[in-house]
Amino acid sequence: GYEVYLSDRNGDWGEPVAEIRRQSGSQPFEVPFKRSLSARFLRVVVKSEINGQPFAAIAELDILPAVTQ
């Protein structure tokens, strides 16, 4: 799984804004937020390894604008 944090000051992370419980895989996926958020810094914390290895990777990360309804 992953945890996503946002902050306006590096080192002041607070609580995660999203927690993702997802198994490893190569398919893209979206992490929707309940509301529009803004921050200067983004932190992704990987909570489990991939395929038994002591590391994980993010191949591509897109930050998309909020969709208003």
Side-chain angles (χ1 to χ4, degrees):
Y2 309 87
E3 292 177 344
V4 179
Y5 296 83
L6 297 176
S7 176
D8 287 322
R9 294 184 306 145
N10 191 13
D12 185 17
W13 296 107
E15 296 296 316
V17 295
E19 295 183 45
I20 302 104
R21 306 280 181 244
R22 179 176 160 81
Q23 300 299 320
S24 63
S26 60
Q27 296 301 313
F29 66 98
E30 291 184 8
V31 179
F33 296 104
K34 295 177 183 175
R35 59 185 169 81
S36 180
L37 302 168
S38 67
R40 184 172 179 198
F41 299 97
L42 170 79
R43 179 183 192 183
V44 178
V45 177
V46 179
K47 304 298 282 185
S48 60
E49 77 285 345
I50 303 299
N51 298 325
Q53 301 296 318
F55 58 85
I58 296 175
E60 188 173 327
L61 176 66
D62 293 326
I63 308 297
L64 305 173
V67 176
T68 57
Q69 297 184 14

